[in-house]
Amino acid sequence: MAVRRASHSGTWYNESAKELSNQLENWLGAAELTHGPARAIIAPHAGYQYCGACAAFAYRQISPFVVQRIFILGPSHNVRLSGCALSSAVKYRTPFYDLQIDNEVYEELESTGHFERMSMKVDEDEHSIEMQLPYIAKVMQDYKDKFTIVPVMVGSLSTEKESLYGHIFSQYLADPKNLFIISSDFCHWGQRFRYTFYEKSWGVIHQSITTLDHKGMDIIETLKPAAFVEYLKTFSNTICGRHPISVLLQAANHLRTQKLSLKFLKYAQSSKCYNLGDSSVSYASASLIIE
């Protein structure tokens, strides 16, 4: 029974269940339910001191009594993948309780021939999936024995593979019992990220970053995959979860006969940049509903 450790607890978020619960409750209490019930959310994955308050706006849109299965699509930061990978674990540990992986769905995904398995080391070194888990456990705590998770590490996909995986996941997105969590931060700006795009007509640097991110967010809200690809080609914005976001857009594209609405609810930056020696990471939370 391989259990993935909460390898980033105590550093990226509080390892005390009581203290972490209070923190998440405060953030969720400050967020309003304005675009739910969510069928998919986009949420950041940095240390909670930076993005926890922003992430709450996405998690506030979830209706836990409806959800039975949660897909978590997170980008790979440490290993290069050309496709998508599934965990080798059967459970993911959190400070609250263990989250059970849905082996039935894992078998269905593996049967497509388009998924590989990641080692436990690769899994535990990565943070993009793990940073969603405490929020999941907290929001779902009253139904902790009634849902499973489907963690998927998403690699550097070609446009064709984004379409392929979008098609695979679309049948699951169509099911109202399923929830998709897309793990992504937005612009990583500064010399340490090798990205210093600056449009002076948009204001000082942090205002330029805000405008850049909001251009991307506006395009994501249109649910048009090709437009998002074009935006990334034009600006090369360092959105680390661009491939998981693109997979979601492709999956939504297969459900265009239904009425879908994606809306960004909160935006934040880790710090304000004024000169080339500064750096920051942007965070944004969104919710997709299907009427």
Side-chain angles (χ1 to χ4, degrees):
M1 295 286 286
V3 179
R4 185 201 181 277
R5 296 178 301 119
S7 52
H8 291 74
S9 67
T11 50
W12 290 55
Y13 57 92
N14 203 309
E15 62 188 341
S16 163
K18 181 179 179 180
E19 293 178 16
L20 181 60
S21 179
N22 290 337
Q23 190 177 48
L24 298 186
E25 283 180 7
N26 288 336
W27 285 331
L28 289 165
E32 295 182 0
L33 174 57
T34 58
H35 199 70
R39 294 281 283 278
I41 62 172
I42 298 173
H45 56 231
Y48 279 5
Q49 62 177 320
Y50 301 108
C51 75
C54 179
F57 283 79
Y59 280 93
R60 183 67 178 85
Q61 314 311 311
I62 295 172
S63 294
F65 59 90
V66 175
V67 176
Q68 295 181 13
R69 187 183 293 123
I70 300 176
F71 291 74
I72 313 157
L73 275 57
S76 173
H77 290 83
N78 304 312
V79 297
R80 184 165 183 82
L81 297 172
S82 59
C84 290
L86 308 176
S87 177
S88 299
V90 295
K91 293 181 180 180
Y92 274 31
R93 184 142 291 159
T94 79
F96 300 123
Y97 54 90
D98 292 349
L99 305 182
Q100 182 74 44
I101 288 178
D102 195 307
N103 290 317
E104 180 180 346
V105 173
Y106 258 25
E107 290 176 2
E108 292 172 359
L109 295 178
E110 278 196 307
S111 70
T112 67
H114 297 295
F115 293 81
E116 57 184 280
R117 289 277 182 168
M118 54 179 149
S119 69
M120 187 68 78
K121 183 182 186 308
V122 167
D123 199 348
E124 292 184 344
D125 284 348
E126 181 55 59
H127 65 273
S128 67
I129 293 174
E130 180 180 343
M131 295 310 294
Q132 308 303 331
L133 304 181
Y135 254 119
I136 291 171
K138 178 62 179 176
V139 171
M140 299 295 296
Q141 61 186 354
D142 291 339
Y143 303 88
K144 64 181 181 180
D145 298 321
K146 298 181 180 179
F147 77 98
T148 54
I149 62 169
V150 184
V152 180
M153 186 181 291
V154 180
S156 300
L157 307 181
S158 64
T159 303
E160 291 73 23
K161 284 195 173 182
E162 288 170 350
S163 178
L164 168 68
Y165 287 109
H167 177 69
I168 291 172
F169 285 120
S170 63
Q171 62 173 311
Y172 299 103
L173 182 61
D175 188 340
K177 297 188 295 294
N178 294 334
L179 169 72
F180 275 75
I181 295 176
I182 307 301
S183 183
S184 181
D185 294 334
F186 272 66
C187 184
H188 296 61
W189 196 94
Q191 294 176 354
R192 69 189 183 103
F193 298 118
R194 299 179 182 177
Y195 186 77
T196 54
F197 172 85
Y198 175 38
E199 175 53 63
K200 292 183 179 180
S201 66
W202 294 347
V204 297
I205 293 175
H206 71 85
Q207 293 171 327
S208 172
I209 296 170
T210 298
T211 299
L212 173 69
D213 280 330
H214 277 81
K215 283 181 177 291
M217 292 155 61
D218 290 345
I219 288 171
I220 293 169
E221 286 185 343
T222 69
L223 295 172
K224 295 178 179 178
F228 185 51
V229 169
E230 190 60 33
Y231 163 81
L232 293 171
K233 286 181 179 178
T234 301
F235 295 104
S236 299
N237 192 1
T238 45
I239 302 172
C240 56
R242 57 192 175 276
H243 296 296
I245 291 172
S246 291
V247 170
L248 174 66
L249 297 181
Q250 290 286 357
N253 193 47
H254 286 282
L255 306 182
R256 54 185 176 270
T257 56
Q258 302 185 48
K259 186 176 180 182
L260 287 75
S261 172
L262 190 151
K263 184 178 180 181
F264 277 89
L265 308 170
K266 189 67 174 178
Y267 175 78
Q269 294 174 356
S270 62
S271 59
K272 285 184 168 21
C273 294
Y274 292 94
N275 58 66
L276 289 175
D278 294 337
S279 65
S280 73
V281 179
S282 304
Y283 314 113
S285 286
S287 172
L288 170 73
I289 61 175
I290 303 178
E291 298 179 6

